[in-house]
Amino acid sequence: MKPPRKLHIKSYGCQMNVYDAQRMADTLTPEGFVETANVDDADLVILNTCHIREKASEKVYSELGRLRTIKEEAARNGRQVSIAVAGCVAQAEGQEIIRRAPAVDVVVGPQSYHHLPQLLVHAKRHGRALETEFPVEDKFGFLPPPQPQAIRARGISAFVTVQEGCDKFCSFCVVPYTRGAELSRPVARIVDDVRRLTDAGVREITLIGQNVNAYHGEGPDGRIWSLGKLLYHLAELPGIARLRYSTSHPRDVDQTLIEAHRDLPALMPFVHLPVQSGSDRILAAMNRKHSADDYRRVVDRFRAARQDIAFSSDFIVGFPGESREDFAATLALVTQIGYAAAYSFKYSPRPGTPAADLQETVSAAEMDERLVRLQGLIDSQQSAFNQAAIGRTVDVLFERAARNPGQMVGRTAYLQPAHVMASPDIVGRVLPVTIESLERYSLLGTLAPSAHARPSSPLHTGA
Ligand code: SAH
Ligand code: SF4
Ligand code: F3S
């Protein structure tokens, strides 16, 4: 038998890329690959890239420089190392990668990674391979890509893609170009994945998509199902303790999704709802097609349905034309909403997007200053949110042993890491924990006495 070949995947960017990296590994396992955490050991290195901001994109070329050295060194020792570039930079700049990085053997876009085994064979026989075609359009919309290898569980929590691509075309964003048009997977396929995962011990499923609440997949009844309807259905499946979904667009929040938060205890009260800016003028220039007030109303509807719901968001500072007043409106919105967490970024013009043609008006220094102010405000909200857990008893889904001996770590409903001293058999269970202190972003506590008294139903999710 041939010895297994070693595979190292380095992933950048969003949750979808994390998921894709796992699926690439799943696709290559039957080909005799095993994963290694050490890049120097690998026979195949895949860079799963992100194109969202210039910094993310440029990283790829410096990383490829490093890999080239590793590849040349291995070749001197008689060992052949292959390099593949996957993900959104591969999609956007495939030809340029081929031109700029001669060490690369395969370039494969996010819609084509199930072809990796064939592409690797092709590269060996005929030289470098590039595959970045989108699925062929047909009269029913987009043909679903062929099913890659069955999904494999990796722990207590898992991502399942329900939707890919985006039709929103925010003026700053590359995603509609790198991930293509919105495509929803049929409900039956999603249920298959979820069952496979829960059978293997997964307790928490996060449904992912670039625009997850635009989900409109074919249901078993032949009708089109929304994300809310899908969540109601999945909540019925045995073994599911927690459901989440990410990332949502404020425009696609419908009543069924709101009601799902009211009705489903398994649906976690934590929603990532990017808004980007608090200024209507900037929102219009960003082509977001919602106002700051529309966003506030969506948040209010969620809060009316489930009072312990919390939000995270994404913000861009320094979009072309963003005045001091516009930025002040963003700070005001953040103050008003009160976030549990949020990401903020300096605007980065991306080639091919409409905003790249706009005159940049905010100086680098001003952008830095706005970012620091916004992040300061968000940090203070996040630490207030975390502090508020101290003294309370909250449900924690335990995931694994922590670094400190004897300590176990899990997550609260709000994804806060929580540490307790406990035996390893609590992995996979949702148990109440009394929070005693906060260390940076991590909660420390003890298992509440009732945790020992009551049956350890994984379905217990009461807040
Ligand atoms: N639909 C996905 C989009 C992924 S991009 C989602 O909402 O998560 C994640 C975030 O990156 C966006 O919400 C936006 O805040 C930020 N971003 C996207 N393009 C950007 C750009 N050109 N410059 C700076 N930040 C950007
Ligand atoms: Fe990008 Fe906007 Fe689509 Fe999100 S909704 S992926 S920001 S175009
Ligand atoms: Fe990046 Fe592509 Fe995700 S650009 S954020 S990896 S969809």
Side-chain angles (χ1 to χ4, degrees):
M1 214 175 83
K2 279 201 295 184
R5 287 177 289 173
K6 292 194 179 153
L7 163 68
H8 178 84
I9 307 185
K10 190 160 184 184
S11 214
Y12 305 85
C14 60
Q15 292 169 333
M16 187 70 87
N17 257 15
V18 174
Y19 172 90
D20 286 352
Q22 294 177 351
R23 304 318 307 277
M24 283 190 260
D26 293 347
T27 304
L28 290 167
T29 305
E31 305 291 315
F33 281 96
V34 293
E35 278 186 85
T36 172
N38 186 355
V39 63
D40 295 301
D41 281 354
D43 303 298
L44 169 61
V45 181
I46 302 178
L47 289 187
N48 195 24
T49 60
C50 174
H51 194 57
I52 202 79
R53 286 168 289 274
E54 190 179 350
K55 252 199 204 142
S57 256
E58 278 306 311
K59 241 188 254 168
V60 176
Y61 293 101
S62 52
E63 192 66 29
L64 283 174
R66 230 166 51 88
L67 289 179
R68 179 187 189 161
T69 317
I70 292 177
K71 180 172 175 155
E72 287 168 354
E73 172 72 29
R76 277 194 289 277
N77 297 323
R79 198 165 63 85
Q80 196 187 345
V81 174
S82 304
I83 300 176
V85 180
C88 290
V89 182
Q91 185 65 46
E93 299 180 359
Q95 294 293 354
E96 192 177 344
I97 294 170
I98 294 280
R99 190 173 56 76
R100 269 176 75 175
V104 171
D105 301 282
V106 168
V107 173
V108 58
Q111 274 75 14
S112 316
Y113 59 70
H114 48 280
H115 293 149
L116 255 175
Q118 296 90 303
L119 291 169
L120 287 166
V121 170
H122 176 97
K124 267 221 167 95
R125 292 199 186 134
H126 311 289
R128 314 164 73 204
L130 171 83
E131 165 76 72
T132 51
E133 289 301 309
F134 280 134
V136 194
E137 207 169 355
D138 70 353
K139 64 180 178 172
F140 300 111
F142 278 84
L143 290 169
Q147 278 297 286
Q149 202 59 30
I151 199 161
R152 187 160 58 84
R154 294 170 169 76
I156 291 306
S157 184
F159 294 143
V160 172
T161 294
V162 299
Q163 173 282 339
E164 198 171 347
C166 184
D167 294 343
K168 292 284 186 295
F169 292 93
C170 300
S171 63
F172 51 81
C173 183
V174 294
V175 171
Y177 312 96
T178 62
R179 295 281 173 160
E182 239 169 60
L183 175 75
S184 295
R185 296 178 70 205
V187 172
R189 295 239 182 98
I190 296 164
V191 170
D192 273 356
D193 279 355
V194 171
R195 279 192 201 278
R196 207 182 297 273
L197 291 165
T198 50
D199 283 350
V202 168
R203 309 252 75 136
E204 175 178 81
I205 300 282
T206 304
L207 305 180
I208 58 171
Q210 267 87 27
N211 216 190
V212 72
N213 58 334
Y215 179 79
H216 57 284
E218 190 193 334
D221 53 4
R223 291 169 188 249
I224 295 300
W225 284 27
S226 66
L227 181 69
K229 190 158 165 66
L230 177 65
L231 286 164
Y232 275 97
H233 186 68
L234 295 180
E236 296 291 318
L237 298 181
I240 299 253
R242 289 181 167 182
L243 285 169
R244 304 178 184 276
Y245 58 90
S246 191
T247 295
S248 306
H249 194 288
R251 265 174 64 86
D252 292 329
V253 174
D254 66 4
Q255 195 52 28
T256 318
L257 186 59
I258 302 266
E259 285 167 11
H261 278 280
R262 181 195 65 196
D263 297 339
L264 303 176
L267 184 56
M268 290 295 100
F270 189 38
V271 178
H272 185 56
L273 196 63
V275 60
Q276 317 298 353
S277 167
S279 152
D280 287 346
R281 225 171 52 81
I282 296 300
L283 287 170
M286 287 176 164
N287 193 33
R288 290 287 294 179
K289 299 203 177 87
H290 63 78
S291 66
D293 272 344
D294 292 334
Y295 183 83
R296 290 184 186 94
R297 276 192 287 271
V298 170
V299 166
D300 287 346
R301 282 165 64 209
F302 273 116
R303 285 189 166 142
R306 185 150 180 183
Q307 149 251 316
D308 62 350
I309 204 162
F311 296 91
S312 60
S313 191
D314 293 340
F315 294 92
I316 295 177
V317 302
F319 189 81
E322 186 188 73
S323 66
R324 284 170 194 282
E325 292 73 31
D326 294 320
F327 178 63
T330 298
L331 294 177
L333 181 75
V334 173
T335 305
Q336 228 170 18
I337 302 286
Y339 288 100
Y343 303 92
S344 40
F345 310 99
K346 287 191 271 187
Y347 170 68
S348 168
R350 305 306 291 130
T353 61
D357 297 333
L358 300 176
Q359 175 78 36
E360 286 192 64
T361 58
V362 184
S363 71
E366 180 65 25
M367 243 196 243
D368 284 333
E369 202 184 306
R370 290 182 192 179
L371 189 72
V372 167
R373 280 188 64 193
L374 178 58
Q375 285 183 340
L377 178 60
I378 291 165
D379 280 352
S380 67
Q381 293 189 341
Q382 182 167 13
S383 48
F385 185 82
N386 289 339
Q387 287 285 343
I390 296 176
R392 292 183 52 213
T393 298
V394 300
D395 277 351
V396 173
L397 170 59
F398 284 95
E399 290 179 1
R400 58 187 166 80
R403 226 173 290 146
N404 293 342
Q407 215 176 38
M408 301 300 292
V409 62
R411 286 182 187 273
T412 69
Y414 307 106
L415 291 177
Q416 298 148 300
H419 292 75
V420 300
M421 297 301 288
S423 75
D425 64 5
I426 65 170
V427 167
R429 290 166 65 183
V430 177
L431 297 171
V433 171
T434 305
I435 305 301
E436 284 152 3
S437 60
L438 176 68
E439 219 170 73
R440 289 176 60 84
Y441 293 101
S442 214
L443 302 172
L444 303 181
T446 48
L447 287 180
S450 60
H452 309 292
R454 76 178 174 216
S456 62
S457 161
L459 293 175
H460 170 75
T461 54

